[in-house]
Amino acid sequence: IIFATLGLYSMRGNRTLAEEIGRVFVGCSTGFVAVVIALFFQRELFQSRFILLAGWLFAIIAVSVVRILVRAIQHVLLRHGIGAGYLLVLGSGPQATALLASLDSQPRWGFRIAQHLPGSFKNSIDLEQALDESLHRFPNIDGVLIAE
C-alpha cells in the first residue's frame, strides 16, 4: 500500500533515477516505522534492534537494485519497440518536423509514430475527418499530438 501511494507501481519511466530511489527510501522507511510502532505496542520485547536496522537497510538496497534492473530492461524493450505507445502526429512546419525528429531519435521515451498527417487543420470538420480516418486505419493509437 505504501509503494502504491508513492507511485512506485507505475511502469512509465517519467521519473529520474534519483526520484525513484528517493521514493523507495521513503516507502521502506515508512514501512520500517510501521513495524517499529507495531513492536512498541506488542507485549513482548524484541531483543535485537540490529535486525530491524539491517532489515530496513537491506530492503532499501534490494528494492533499489530491482528497480534499477527493471528500468534497464524497460529501456532495452522500448528501444526495440516493445511496450511503446503509438502516436498520431497532426500538422506540418518546423514544430512538427522537430517533434518527429525527436520522437524518432529517442525510442527510450516509449513512443512510436503510427502516422503523420501533414497539413493545417484550421477547420474542426477537417480535423475530425482526419482523426476518424486515422483511428479506423490504426486502432492501436494511444495518443494524438497536434504540432502547429
Side-chain angles (χ1 to χ4, degrees):
I1 293 173
I2 296 169
F3 283 179
T5 58
L6 292 172
L8 286 172
Y9 288 118
S10 171
M11 288 305 294
R12 273 289 174 211
N14 55 358
R15 288 188 295 269
T16 64
L17 185 61
E19 289 174 334
E20 192 154 347
I21 291 178
R23 288 182 186 209
V24 166
F25 178 80
V26 169
C28 289
S29 298
T30 304
F32 175 73
V33 168
V35 168
V36 168
I37 289 172
L39 288 175
F40 178 77
F41 287 113
Q42 191 177 19
R43 299 228 178 223
E44 300 174 18
L45 280 176
F46 190 74
Q47 296 298 322
S48 178
R49 290 180 295 256
F50 173 74
I51 292 175
L52 290 175
L53 289 175
W56 169 70
L57 186 61
F58 176 74
I60 291 174
I61 292 171
V63 172
S64 296
V65 167
V66 169
R67 298 294 293 194
I68 290 168
L69 288 173
V70 167
R71 283 173 64 102
I73 291 168
Q74 185 180 22
H75 285 299
V76 168
L77 292 174
L78 286 174
R79 273 193 217 114
H80 294 292
I82 300 171
Y86 290 95
L87 299 176
L88 170 64
V89 179
L90 302 173
S92 57
Q95 292 91 357
T97 305
L99 178 65
L100 292 169
S102 295
L103 289 172
D104 280 338
S105 67
Q106 297 293 335
R108 67 183 178 92
W109 287 352
F111 298 107
R112 298 275 187 240
I113 299 166
Q115 187 180 17
H116 173 228
L117 295 176
S120 178
F121 298 98
K122 304 282 186 205
N123 187 345
S124 63
I125 295 173
D126 293 339
L127 178 60
E128 185 178 346
Q129 288 174 346
L131 284 173
D132 193 39
E133 179 183 319
S134 292
L135 291 175
H136 283 302
R137 286 193 334 178
F138 299 100
N140 61 343
I141 290 178
D142 297 311
V144 178
L145 292 175
I146 301 174
E148 288 197 16

